[in-house]
Amino acid sequence: MADTTNMGAPAPHRISLTERSPAVARRKRKDLILQGFGLLAIFIAFAVMFLLFASLIRTGHTAFVQTHVTLDVYVDPAEIPLDGLPRGGFQDVVTNALIAKLPSADEDSERRAVRNIISNGAQFYLRDRVVADPSLIGQTISIKVPVSDAYDQLHKGSISRDTPEALRRVNDEGIAWFDELIADGAISKPLNFSLITNADSRFPELAGLRGALVGSFWALLTCFVIAFPTGIGAAIYLEEFAPKNKVSDLIEVNINNLAAVPSVVFGLLALAVFLNYLGMPRSAPFVGGLTLALMTMPTIIIATRAALKAVPPSIREAALGVGASKQQVVFQHVLPLAMPGILTGTIIGLAQALGETAPLLLIGMNAFITSAASTPFEAATALPTQIFIWADSPERGFVSRTSAAILVLLTFLIFMNGIAIYLRSKFERRW
Amino acid sequence: MILLAFIILFVAAAIGYVINIRAAQAIRDGGAPLHSLVGFHGMFSALVVLVPVFILILLWIALADPLIQRLVAASLPEGTFDGLGTGAIQLIMAEINSLAGGRVFGTPEDWKIEAAERLVGYERTADIALVVVVIIAVIALIAFARRTVIAEFRARQGSEGIMLRLMAFCAIFAIFVTIAIVFALVYETSKFFSMVPITEFLFGLNWEPQIPIRADQIAAEGAFGAVPVFLGTLVIASVALIVAIPIGLMTAIYLNEFASRRVRSVVKPFLEILAGVPTVVYGFFAILVVAPWLRSTGASLGIDVASNTALAAGSVMGIMLIPFISSFADDALSAVPQSLRDGALALGATRSETMLNVLVPAAIPGIVGGILLAVSRAIGETMIVVMAAGLIARMTINPLDSVTAVTVQIVTLLIGDTAFDNPKTLSAFALGMMLFIITLGINVLALRIVRKYREIYD
């Protein structure tokens, strides 16, 4: 409209956002550049995440199957006498069965080389069957035993047949034998349940996570039993009952700082106080759980206080109005309403505790233990420390087992966080 | 046995609860008006039984075993420990303990077997004594609680008083934890500084934590100068922050200003997943993917990259910190009042100008607080550096070199069996002490900045 009244006179140039001018274009370009940077940052984060999971799945998926060989074993009474159980020449018997399958192998001179095809633990598969049913002695039975790590990797393709023989962990002769077994149909690749049912082992093909899962279970149980009631008690006190004074302030600052203390410092505390002064057992999941409880407690306190704060004052006032005492108000009205939020925070805290490694290393939960703990006071490993142990092991088979163990750990974490998200969305009320 | 004691305790608490409820009901049925509800009388009894006996059992667990060990050690033949270090003494006690547990290696001396038998005897006595004491205590407490049940007894005030104290104790427990941390660190650190001068630790440029195995060993004097260790942590943390700060901030800015609701609802949970990945997984990622990739890239460019370069540990740690920084920055940007945003847009500023010239400056304290917290996490982060960084302390700031970190040294010095009498073990506590002080200082500063900033707009 201004143009029509000022007809004739040159209009003073004003910049408007709707008009195309070099300055506006430049400013809009800046807008786009900033957006571009933002998108780039998100893309980088996504890419790294994708790379992380892809590399874990790529190396880890092979550990979910295990190469086995099926053998017809003649349980020779001369090698395995009935009255000698559970001792006996199980290894020789299994090796005999394997050599019988390989006509090209010389029985005497190449016995050792042939034996290397099957796992060192194969004899125990036979032993367990024979001990369970001694009448098998003298019969020929068909058993499926894992092959050793080198041949497992060969079959899964991690060891290339094109590599020069000198650089390969299996020689040409071994490959020839193994191919004979494949041609014979004796080799199979079933799902690897021993990853869950076996405890740790020096041999990758036998190593499993049972000890670690049990250890983590005991540690988390201890952590929950200690941290949950203590955390809720502390939160209720601070939120509902504490007088507003210096002491309460101090406690509050203290809890916030405790939540940010590096986890390794909690490990030092556990080592010096629990193990050294109090003489608690090394490597015990109970001590691990105790340490994790100290770390989880601030998380639970902070979550519980937030949940209690979210309950509107009208609920409290109504309950007080009909004559409830202050504690009756809290325990019978406020706490039940805050429970979903508290549980969500607790589960997230426990998920963090499940992945925590450093304090457990310091109290010795990285020991090599080949059986699962039956009580929380026995030595055990935990899932993250087991991952750490396997990541340190040089064998190729342990690389894939480490990735597989990480995938198991991440599955648990996603499951726990899933429960937390479900609880939050299902039960949380907006007032 | 401890389990049995706990079971007895809980059963006794339930019995006390029922007895008192019955008694209170009888009084009420008799026509006398009770001061408190029946349930409070039961509650009072249960609490009176539970709390003291529970504390008793916990103390027993904490004190019985060390006491028994001391008794056994004192009962050994005269002069057994003469001239032995604590390590050797611990070895003897461990042997006796394993003998007592039924694990016999070789042929132990007779006095060891005797000591083991004594140990088993003491332990059995202690177990029986615990159960007997618990039974006597619960009976006495149930009887005491039962005698309180009269019409005028203020059972509600009684049980609520106990509950309140319990909850207050839970709150103070957090302070106990801090005190325990400080005490443990200070005590072990002071032992360390009585062996190694504090000036050497703080200013020494050489870190070789060794102890002589034989007294006459050559070059056995360990060096405990912590400067290169802290320098290594600094290098790795700097790399991490160089990765994390731009990506984290840019993510927060985009999510806060430009992203649609749908993008936000996808990216936010994804960042939460990234934040929830355990650090041991990041550590494995660093050695499995990042370090070999850096090395081969370096080789193809003709640069010599160490196999456990600080770059690998640092960049992976940076990835770990991205969600941390972005969520803090996002919160800080969201807390800026809408009026500032509206005002800037109304003046004709573009969205990027609003963001960079108005919102970010207004949110700077919150962002800085978040970054400081990220710094403290980077310094205290353990597993990534334990797995991906080096062990040898070097005076270098070249991120392509292999450097070590404070947490790496703590973990490697303390893994395996540890005796608390040599500077090698104790130096880990001195490092832990420094770590604790530094992270605590940064945290206090960061929380203060964040809190102060929140007050401005509230």
Side-chain angles (χ1 to χ4, degrees), chain A residues 292-306:
Chain A
L292 295 177
L294 300 185
M295 301 175 55
T296 315
M297 217 176 65
T299 315
I300 295 181
I301 293 176
I302 293 167
T304 306
R305 292 190 68 175

Side-chain angles (χ1 to χ4, degrees), chain A residues 17 27 30-31 34-35 37-39 41-42 44-46 48-49 51-52 55-56 59 230 233-234 236-237 241 250-251 254-258 260-262 264-265 268-269 271-273 276-279 282 294 297 325 327-328 331 355 357-358 361-362 366 384 387-388 391 399 402-403 406 409-410 413, chain B residues 40 65-66 156 160 163-164 167-168 170-175 177-178 180-181 183-185 187-188 247 250-251 253-254 258 267 270 273-274 276 278 280-281 284-285 288-289 319 348-353 380 382-383 386-387 407 410-411 414-418 420 429 432 435-436 439-440 443-444 447:
Chain A
L17 275 177
R27 291 170 62 198
K30 272 193 189 159
D31 228 40
L34 189 66
Q35 277 200 50
F37 272 125
L39 278 176
I42 292 175
I44 291 175
F46 263 100
V48 171
M49 173 99 159
L51 191 64
L52 172 67
S55 61
L56 287 178
T59 54
T230 329
I236 291 177
Y237 181 76
F241 296 105
L250 179 70
I251 294 176
N254 196 340
I255 288 170
N256 285 337
N257 280 321
L258 214 50
V261 169
V264 70
V265 172
L268 288 173
L269 165 76
L271 181 63
V273 175
N276 197 27
Y277 301 148
L278 299 182
R282 263 190 97 78
L294 300 185
M297 217 176 65
S325 75
Q327 287 201 11
Q328 281 175 321
F331 286 108
T357 322
L361 287 184
L362 292 195
N366 59 335
I387 289 167
F388 176 69
V399 175
T402 311
S403 296
I406 288 175
L409 175 64
L410 290 179
L413 291 180
Chain B
F40 280 117
D65 198 49
R156 182 174 74 77
E160 287 192 348
M163 281 305 286
L164 189 67
M167 290 189 294
C170 290
I172 293 171
F173 186 70
I175 291 194
V177 175
T178 311
I181 291 177
F183 169 77
L185 291 177
Y187 181 70
E188 306 292 351
I247 298 183
M250 278 299 161
T251 309
I253 287 174
Y254 185 82
F258 301 104
V267 175
F270 154 77
I273 295 178
L274 210 56
V280 67
V281 176
F284 185 63
F285 178 62
L288 181 75
V289 178
I319 295 162
T350 62
R351 291 208 285 178
S352 66
E353 285 161 354
T382 311
M383 288 321 294
V386 166
M387 293 170 87
T407 47
I410 293 176
V411 169
L414 293 181
I415 261 185
D417 280 321
T418 40
F420 279 78
F429 283 88
L435 188 68
F436 181 71
T439 50
L440 190 72
N443 290 339
V444 170
L447 288 176

Side-chain angles (χ1 to χ4, degrees), chain B residues 35-359:
Chain B
H35 169 272
S36 300
L37 290 175
V38 172
F40 280 117
H41 283 280
M43 189 73 157
F44 181 72
S45 174
L47 285 171
V48 161
V49 175
L50 265 181
V51 175
V53 181
F54 195 83
I55 295 171
L56 176 80
I57 298 178
L58 286 188
L59 281 180
W60 196 286
I61 295 173
L63 299 178
D65 198 49
L67 191 69
I68 289 174
Q69 299 285 340
R70 206 154 292 170
L71 278 178
V72 172
S75 73
L76 291 178
E78 285 285 315
T80 311
F81 294 150
D82 282 356
L84 291 179
T86 42
I89 291 174
Q90 275 175 5
L91 207 63
I92 291 174
M93 289 312 291
E95 198 179 340
I96 291 172
N97 275 307
S98 65
L99 280 174
R103 296 179 298 275
V104 183
F105 303 105
T107 45
E109 295 93 325
D110 284 340
W111 58 269
K112 278 184 186 165
I113 296 176
E114 274 169 34
E117 278 163 3
R118 252 192 320 269
L119 180 64
V120 174
Y122 286 148
E123 273 172 357
R124 196 169 302 143
T125 318
D127 279 346
I128 294 169
L130 171 64
V131 172
V132 171
V133 167
V134 165
I135 289 174
I136 292 173
V138 295
I139 289 174
L141 289 167
I142 288 175
F144 164 74
R146 171 66 188 82
R147 289 188 54 184
T148 62
V149 185
I150 48 172
E152 297 82 44
F153 180 58
R154 298 164 156 245
R156 182 174 74 77
Q157 277 80 349
S159 65
E160 287 192 348
I162 299 176
M163 281 305 286
L164 189 67
R165 286 198 190 105
L166 273 183
M167 290 189 294
F169 174 78
C170 290
I172 293 171
F173 186 70
I175 291 194
F176 284 150
V177 175
T178 311
I179 292 174
I181 291 177
V182 171
F183 169 77
L185 291 177
V186 167
Y187 181 70
E188 306 292 351
T189 307
S190 67
K191 275 205 284 185
F192 173 69
F193 286 139
S194 70
M195 297 177 202
V196 175
I198 186 166
T199 44
E200 186 198 331
F201 178 76
L202 288 180
F203 305 113
L205 301 182
N206 222 341
W207 178 260
E208 279 163 28
Q210 296 158 350
I211 42 166
I213 297 168
R214 300 188 314 274
D216 57 339
Q217 211 167 1
I218 304 167
E221 283 296 301
F224 293 97
V227 173
V229 183
F230 280 93
L231 194 66
T233 289
L234 208 62
V235 171
I236 294 176
S238 312
V239 174
L241 291 170
I242 288 170
V243 172
I245 290 177
I247 298 183
L249 281 187
M250 278 299 161
T251 309
I253 287 174
Y254 185 82
L255 286 181
N256 200 270
E257 183 65 33
F258 301 104
S260 63
R261 277 180 90 83
R262 280 219 5 236
V263 173
R264 249 181 102 85
S265 70
V266 173
V267 175
K268 272 257 165 189
F270 154 77
L271 285 174
E272 276 175 33
I273 295 178
L274 210 56
V277 173
T279 52
V280 67
V281 176
Y282 281 118
F284 185 63
F285 178 62
I287 51 176
L288 181 75
V289 178
V290 179
W293 179 77
L294 283 174
R295 210 171 143 70
S296 63
T297 313
S300 65
L301 294 175
I303 307 168
D304 190 30
V305 181
S307 63
N308 39 20
T309 156
L311 214 51
S315 56
V316 172
M317 195 191 283
I319 295 162
M320 180 197 86
L321 293 175
I322 291 173
F324 198 73
I325 290 183
S326 85
S327 81
F328 259 94
D330 196 13
D331 286 351
L333 288 172
S334 302
V336 176
Q338 188 65 26
S339 56
L340 285 182
R341 193 184 296 247
D342 293 345
L345 290 172
L347 286 172
T350 62
R351 291 208 285 178
S352 66
E353 285 161 354
T354 312
M355 177 50 77
L356 295 180
N357 299 336
V358 178
L359 297 184

